[in-house]
Amino acid sequence: MSLPPQRSELTNQLAVAALGAGVVTSLAVAQGQSPLTALGITLFSAIAAVAVGQVL
C-alpha cells in the first residue's frame, strides 16, 4: 500500500502543471482570447493534471 502524498509534493505538482498550462494559454491570450478565460483554462488544466497524476 502506498503512502498518501505530502502537501509539498502536491504543491510542486500543481506548480509544474500550472506553468505548463500557462505557456499554452499565454499564447491564446496573445491571439486575442480573454485573460479570464485563459486563467480558468490554466487552473482547470493544472488541477486535472494533478488529479490524474494521483490516480496513476
Side-chain angles (χ1 to χ4, degrees):
M1 178 162 37
S2 64
L3 296 171
Q6 294 182 354
R7 188 178 190 99
S8 62
E9 183 181 338
L10 290 175
T11 303
N12 289 341
Q13 289 176 356
L14 188 58
V16 170
L19 284 173
V23 170
V24 175
T25 53
S26 65
L27 292 174
V29 169
Q31 300 265 327
Q33 184 179 29
S34 164
L36 282 177
T37 302
L39 181 61
I41 291 168
T42 300
L43 290 174
F44 176 79
S45 299
I47 292 169
V50 171
V52 168
Q54 293 303 309
V55 170
L56 298 178

